[in-house]
Amino acid sequence: MRKLSIKNFSDLEKIKDKISNFHIVFVSSDPYWFSSINQVSRNFHTFSFDFLENEKNSSLFLDLEERNKPISTIEILKCEKVKKLLERIEKPKIFTFKVKKAYERFIEGPLKGEYPLKRNIFAAENFENKISVMKFFDELSISRPNYKILKIKKDSFSELKKELGIPFVLQTQFSAAGEGTFLIKDRDDFQLVLKENEGRIVKASEFIEGLDLTINACTNKRKTISTQLFAQITGVNFLAKNELASCGTDFSFRVDSSSQKKAWEIIEKVGKVLREKNFRGIFGMDFVWDGEKLFAIEINPRMVASIPVFTDLEVKNKRIPLLAFHFLELLEIPFDLSEDILEKSKEKIVGSHIFLKATKEAFFKDFIDEKVLEDCKKEINGKVFFRKKKKFFENENFGRVLLKDSVLEYGNTKKLKAFYEQKIKSILEVLLNPWPI
């Protein structure tokens, strides 16, 4: 295959042509994860239990019977309807949001498809583990919070309080969007976590007062392409399930130049090790920044939550998106890229993104109800991606909003609740919306 030369944004169409030679199938329980795939391919299929419209590509809405639990990716893969549709697609390249051995066994077994992400299984199992990744940080001399690994039990609280101070953080081995991460301020907080996790191996770490940051990157055979650091919006109590859960990203936020340089040095180290482990494609890293120093928290060796919105922002800002390099690498399409492309990926992008995830039905009835959304739609002459999941999700109404500027310009995260309650209607100015209401 002739090597693709990537020098500037105009080469995105050539990239699309190359990627579109393959039949990409994206399977996920949440259609949000593949909502920006149209930016990098014209030949794709999306299978989900919820519906997301694609103008020219088949989206499969699986009318699964209602359950008392969420529908998983593996359940979608096992659907007879999916199997029959895949039989009509020549050599399907099947992608998922998370990377799992169970997916490979099913995709390359009964479904007779190809799972390009299988090369990333080792990294996903070892580096996404919130416990084993800490040893990896030590091996690379990357600063991280003090921590302790333990089997959680009733008398653990006093021991951890003495060793780590109050508050401290508890994390389960695998979780997403901070939903397995808990801030322990007192014994009552500890008892709530203990109730669901007694006897499990967890990581307890010191709490560092600061701002949660994240960085997106993509590694190929030779280089790591990375963005600037972004601020994570966490713990807004009516947007997130717990105080450390992620509920958005502020792409506009900037740290000082010294901290940014340090982040790029770290991401180069991590990208190099991932390459040596045969990993290819998108990954992310999370940090806490105390205003002077970065402390590494975790690695996410897979597509990360901000990628769909960030991909749209990259294209709007005339940048080749990381998602394009992700598919080029995993589909084994040879390419060279210029230094200009690497530098462009590090430039500032303005905008922010919030997830509207609530645990109380009343929040959406009283605050972000259908009438408010309809009024916003009229005011901005645009669209807001908002959907209500099926019955078994009735307490997890869900939406995503892309804002025109920086959330943090309006105040720090501790002030966000009051800010949103007063201002959310006026700031729903959507930059670009590939999603229907």
Side-chain angles (χ1 to χ4, degrees), residues 6-270:
I6 304 171
K7 296 179 180 179
N8 50 52
F9 179 72
S10 64
D11 292 324
L12 181 58
E13 289 305 309
K14 292 192 295 184
I15 294 172
K16 271 189 179 183
D17 290 341
K18 290 286 187 180
I19 294 174
S20 299
N21 288 329
F22 297 86
H23 297 285
I24 292 174
V25 176
F26 207 115
V27 180
S28 174
S29 58
D30 187 342
Y32 164 73
W33 302 123
F34 44 68
S35 60
S36 60
I37 193 173
N38 63 299
Q39 299 283 17
V40 299
S41 176
R42 304 180 187 91
N43 181 19
F44 61 91
H45 305 264
T46 58
F47 296 165
S48 179
F49 79 87
D50 208 341
F51 180 71
L52 182 71
E53 182 182 359
N54 290 299
E55 293 178 3
K56 296 181 180 179
N57 303 88
S58 64
S59 283
L60 172 63
F61 169 71
L62 296 175
D63 188 17
L64 301 177
E65 62 186 64
E66 292 182 358
R67 317 279 179 93
N68 291 320
K69 62 177 184 178
I71 301 300
S72 66
T73 297
I74 198 71
E75 286 182 278
I76 295 173
L77 290 169
K78 289 179 179 179
C79 284
E80 192 63 30
K81 192 173 183 180
V82 168
K83 187 176 180 181
K84 288 180 180 177
L85 283 168
L86 284 173
E87 287 172 353
R88 293 156 49 186
I89 300 173
E90 184 181 359
K91 297 180 180 178
K93 306 281 188 179
I94 302 175
F95 287 81
T96 54
F97 172 62
K98 287 212 167 184
V99 183
K100 296 185 179 181
K101 186 71 178 174
Y103 298 164
E104 180 201 6
R105 286 196 295 265
F106 204 81
I107 288 168
E108 300 203 342
L111 293 181
K112 298 176 181 173
E114 185 178 336
Y115 189 46
L117 289 167
K118 66 183 178 183
R119 68 183 306 154
N120 292 348
I121 290 172
F122 175 84
E125 291 177 346
N126 287 273
F127 296 112
E128 191 163 4
N129 185 310
K130 306 299 188 289
I131 292 173
S132 62
V133 75
M134 303 305 278
K135 297 175 184 176
F136 172 68
F137 291 151
D138 290 341
E139 289 170 5
L140 291 183
S141 300
I142 296 172
S143 296
R144 43 74 180 167
N146 294 326
Y147 73 96
K148 182 182 179 71
I149 307 301
L150 71 154
K151 183 180 286 189
I152 189 171
K153 52 189 179 181
K154 292 178 182 178
D155 59 357
S156 299
F157 177 76
S158 297
E159 175 190 353
L160 293 172
K161 179 181 177 181
K162 182 179 179 180
E163 198 164 329
L164 300 171
I166 289 290
F168 60 85
V169 178
L170 283 179
Q171 271 190 306
T172 56
Q173 291 189 65
F174 294 98
S175 61
E179 293 188 2
T181 302
F182 307 94
L183 183 64
I184 308 300
K185 302 187 294 297
D186 52 37
R187 191 176 290 275
D188 288 343
D189 288 340
F190 180 81
Q191 290 298 328
L192 287 173
V193 177
L194 180 69
K195 185 178 179 181
E196 299 294 328
N197 296 282
E198 188 169 3
R200 295 176 68 182
I201 301 295
V202 298
K203 179 183 75 178
S205 54
E206 66 173 327
F207 175 73
I208 296 173
E209 189 73 48
L211 191 63
D212 296 312
L213 302 178
T214 188
I215 190 168
N216 295 342
C218 184
T219 191
N220 58 39
K221 293 174 184 176
R222 296 167 300 281
K223 298 178 180 178
T224 298
I225 310 161
S226 60
T227 66
Q228 288 210 2
L229 284 163
F230 314 130
Q232 284 192 348
I233 303 164
T234 57
V236 182
N237 62 7
F238 70 102
L239 293 180
K241 290 182 178 179
N242 66 62
E243 291 185 65
L244 297 180
S246 175
C247 47
T249 310
D250 190 331
F251 302 112
S252 308
F253 181 80
R254 293 294 172 263
V255 298
D256 63 276
S257 59
S258 176
S259 296
Q260 181 60 74
K261 183 179 178 182
K262 184 64 178 176
W264 284 329
E265 289 172 1
I266 292 170
I267 214 76
E268 283 294 329
K269 281 185 181 180
V270 172

